[in-house]
Amino acid sequence: MLAYLGARFGAQAGKENADKAIFVQIVTSERAVWREAMRGLVVELTAEVRRGAVSPAKPVNWRKVHAARAGIVLRLNPACRDVGTEDKHALDRALFRAVEELVSARHTPKPDWLKKADTVEKAAQRLIKKEWDKSKKEARTGRLEE
């Protein structure tokens, strides 16, 4: 009887560990998709603005800019819009603000667009790097971070 119970509890613990490993793998995979999508959207946004800033023959397609902006913002934590929240979402907030400043720079001199595009790219790099480091840690430890 004790052998049966031991085997039963062992099997249950093994199943729970396997389920947890699968869950961590799925979350890690989803984070990779998120990072790749964020990179693509930042490239779309900044490339379109940069092209328009340096090429008078090809004005900025602001519809594309706003579509990329929406894609970026929808991938950020909603708390990034809240002023005075804890610093947990500081990198999301920095990217949100940089994107908003870039999109609202439409009526400023074009050289300002290039500086604001740089700011967006730097903010995105920091956020993507943080998420990459989080994924590596989760894969290594098998535990998800909040």
Side-chain angles (χ1 to χ4, degrees):
M1 180 69 163
L2 286 176
Y4 169 75
L5 289 176
R8 175 87 173 154
F9 286 127
Q12 181 68 23
K15 182 184 179 325
E16 288 175 7
N17 286 339
D19 289 349
K20 183 178 177 184
I22 290 168
F23 181 69
V24 169
Q25 183 179 9
I26 290 169
V27 170
T28 302
S29 175
E30 286 298 314
R31 288 186 199 269
V33 170
W34 179 92
R35 288 190 309 271
E36 196 57 37
M38 185 63 82
R39 277 188 199 100
L41 289 164
V42 169
V43 167
E44 286 178 34
L45 175 73
T46 59
E48 183 63 28
V49 171
R50 286 179 190 285
R51 186 185 52 72
V54 298
S55 175
K58 294 187 176 183
V60 173
N61 180 336
W62 289 100
R63 181 175 286 162
K64 280 186 177 180
V65 168
H66 285 285
R69 176 219 169 265
I72 292 167
V73 170
L74 288 172
R75 284 168 176 79
L76 297 175
N77 190 302
C80 74
R81 292 175 178 251
D82 301 335
V83 178
T85 59
E86 73 276 4
D87 210 36
K88 186 176 177 180
H89 305 295
L91 295 177
D92 293 70
R93 188 173 303 108
L95 180 55
F96 175 73
R97 288 180 179 158
V99 167
E100 292 300 297
E101 286 181 18
L102 177 60
V103 172
S104 65
R106 183 176 187 172
H107 301 293
T108 64
K110 289 183 179 182
D112 289 349
W113 298 3
L114 300 175
K115 292 176 191 170
K116 291 180 187 303
D118 285 342
T119 303
V120 167
E121 289 167 351
K122 288 174 187 172
Q125 284 176 315
R126 288 185 192 104
L127 179 60
I128 291 168
K129 174 71 169 127
K130 180 190 113 191
E131 292 299 322
W132 168 238
D133 289 342
K134 185 188 299 186
S135 289
K136 287 190 299 186
K137 183 178 179 184
E138 291 170 349
R140 196 172 41 253
T141 65
R143 286 190 301 253
L144 296 178
E145 288 189 21
E146 296 271 332

